[in-house]
Amino acid sequence: WKCAGDVYLLGATNSGKSTLFNILLRSDYCKSRAPNVIDRATVSPWPGTTLNLLKFPIINPTCDRIFRREERLKEEATKTEDQLSSEEKKYLNHLKKQGYLVGRVGRTFQRQKGIPVVDFDPDMLSYSIDEDPRHSPRKHEEREEFTYNEVKDARWCFDTPGIVKENCVLNLLTEKEVKLVLPTHAIVPRTFILKPGMVLFLAALGRIDYLEGEKSAWFSVMASNLLPVHISTLNNADAIYEKHAGQELLKVPMGGEERMKEFPPLVPQDITLKGIGTTEAVADIKLSSAGWVAVTAHAEEKLLLRAYTPEGTALVVREPPLLPYISTIRGSRIAGTAAYRTKKPPSLVENLKTTGKR
């Protein structure tokens, strides 16, 4: 696309548009002076926080600029993590907490900062013995603006308000509940081994019943680390939901009986799957925007499942699964339970030289 036209970041609420906009604003994609002029987009868990069309001017990718950028990238690719500045290391560690695949976004074209001018007023410093010292009134810092010539032929990158999905579970939640559902840190997969007749609850927002099958199957939960997973038997599942929905055990929604009176009931959908092996998931069961559960079963093993989400929200069976080998990222089985110990994979930094440590 280069500079042939304007670029718009479009997508559903909370899909990361504003985060991407802020990264591009401080990258080679943006004119070098723009970060001093343009407001950053608000990054918030609450849907619809980007209310205005924020924009920045796209840099013209001339041959000289492309060459200089490629030279910088080559040089940075030879660095190891130990060679980064303390500020870069701190930022990298922050990114590692948020995700597993990390990319450092640098800048080739930096605007030189001017030397600050000290405004000296001798009259403000002189006062008699009878007078109190006078404080100089602070001058209002003028906001930088683009000149006409800088933007007359510019192409712009826009951040747009998110598209609100009608069948999204987030629309049913309070702000406090949304903060628990939307991950702020890298998700740690949680794997459970279930026999037929067992049930998995993801908070009170989703439920999966293992109804029929010959052997045990593995269910790997990919959802916010703050959302509880509770395992039960089919005989006790309804009573557990009735007693604990809105309470601490299932956590979301929160607010007790009064909150659950206004919350839609869970509605079921039957799902039939056929396993392909003990290390590879056959499908993901996506519980609206609360998260998903990858199902792994023995080869040729037929499973009958019943999945539930709140009425009016989307339940999707995703085949093939997004992360087919997710069930292998687990520790040892916790004795006496259906759960495995969790295991956090190491983060991979995309554009740094590795030191051999893994």
Side-chain angles (χ1 to χ4, degrees):
W1 195 230
K2 296 184 178 177
C3 259
D6 295 333
V7 172
Y8 293 82
L9 301 179
L10 303 173
T13 53
N14 298 113
S15 57
K17 297 181 303 300
S18 294
T19 300
L20 177 59
F21 179 86
N22 290 336
I23 291 169
L24 292 175
L25 177 62
R26 281 154 180 77
S27 76
D28 287 342
Y29 192 57
C30 177
K31 279 183 181 278
S32 59
R33 201 165 77 82
N36 302 321
V37 181
I38 306 290
D39 289 326
R40 294 183 69 202
T42 304
V43 178
S44 164
W46 195 244
T49 46
T50 306
L51 300 177
N52 300 313
L53 275 180
L54 297 174
K55 63 179 182 178
F56 65 73
I58 300 168
I59 202 164
N60 185 9
T62 61
C63 293
D64 173 62
R65 285 178 177 149
I66 293 294
F67 174 78
R68 287 163 59 195
R69 170 178 161 77
E70 286 177 353
E71 289 298 300
R72 175 183 68 81
L73 291 175
K74 282 179 197 171
E75 184 187 339
E76 291 197 348
T78 64
K79 289 182 181 178
T80 64
E81 201 169 320
D82 295 335
Q83 292 173 301
L84 299 178
S85 68
S86 58
E87 191 177 330
E88 282 183 304
K89 282 181 185 174
K90 185 178 177 184
Y91 183 57
L92 201 59
N93 288 332
H94 169 70
L95 292 178
K96 284 179 179 179
K97 288 178 184 176
Q98 294 184 325
Y100 296 113
L101 181 60
V102 178
R104 290 166 58 245
V105 178
R107 295 188 67 196
T108 310
F109 319 109
Q110 303 263 14
R111 184 186 174 222
Q112 295 298 316
K113 291 184 179 178
I115 300 169
V117 178
V118 178
D119 192 10
F120 180 71
D121 182 358
D123 290 336
M124 298 304 293
L125 299 178
S126 61
Y127 57 94
S128 71
I129 294 173
D130 300 325
E131 289 178 321
D132 288 327
R134 286 179 294 162
H135 295 288
S136 172
R138 283 190 178 179
K139 286 192 175 180
H140 176 68
E141 286 187 17
E142 286 189 19
R143 182 189 170 93
E144 289 193 49
E145 300 288 348
F146 286 123
T147 65
Y148 170 76
N149 286 334
E150 281 180 300
V151 295
K152 65 176 182 177
D153 298 317
R155 298 292 182 264
W156 298 83
C157 178
F158 291 88
D159 186 23
T160 64
I163 300 161
V164 178
K165 295 180 285 184
E166 289 181 4
N167 55 3
C168 177
V169 73
L170 298 179
N171 300 337
L172 305 174
L173 303 181
T174 65
E175 185 171 2
K176 196 174 179 183
E177 291 163 351
V178 167
K179 285 179 178 177
L180 292 174
V181 172
L182 288 177
T184 55
H185 284 68
I187 292 172
V188 178
R190 288 172 280 177
T191 296
F192 303 84
I193 185 166
L194 303 188
K195 297 175 183 175
M198 296 181 76
V199 174
L200 181 150
F201 283 100
L202 178 59
L205 301 176
R207 166 180 163 178
I208 298 175
D209 299 355
Y210 185 4
L211 298 179
E212 292 177 16
E214 294 295 320
K215 299 174 182 175
S216 298
W218 293 265
F219 294 75
S220 301
V221 177
M222 297 297 291
S224 166
N225 305 332
L226 300 177
L227 278 186
V229 175
H230 185 75
I231 306 298
S232 169
T233 62
L234 204 50
N235 293 336
N236 296 333
D238 289 342
I240 285 172
Y241 184 82
E242 203 66 38
K243 183 178 179 181
H244 294 287
Q247 308 296 335
E248 185 58 29
L249 182 72
L250 297 179
K251 214 163 197 173
V252 178
M254 51 181 67
E257 288 182 22
E258 289 302 310
R259 175 75 174 102
M260 294 312 296
K261 280 179 188 175
E262 64 185 32
F263 198 75
L266 296 182
V267 292
Q269 179 179 321
D270 284 3
I271 299 164
T272 304
L273 298 173
K274 190 176 184 181
I276 53 178
T278 57
T279 59
E280 186 174 352
V282 58
D284 293 331
I285 299 173
K286 187 171 175 292
L287 303 167
S288 187
S289 295
W292 79 82
V293 180
V295 181
T296 305
H298 291 268
E300 301 302 313
E301 175 77 5
K302 289 183 180 178
L303 310 181
L304 175 61
L305 309 175
R306 181 169 292 154
Y308 298 74
T309 52
E311 189 175 40
T313 64
L315 190 153
V316 178
V317 178
R318 182 165 52 203
E319 295 179 275
L322 189 61
L323 300 170
Y325 305 105
I326 195 68
S327 71
T328 63
I329 303 174
R330 65 180 191 237
S332 57
R333 177 93 176 266
I334 300 172
T337 74
Y340 289 85
R341 297 186 193 283
T342 56
K343 188 175 175 183
K344 188 176 186 295
S347 295
L348 174 66
V349 183
E350 181 266 333
N351 49 354
L352 268 186
K353 191 176 178 183
T354 56
T355 54
K357 289 187 228 173
R358 258 321 191 220

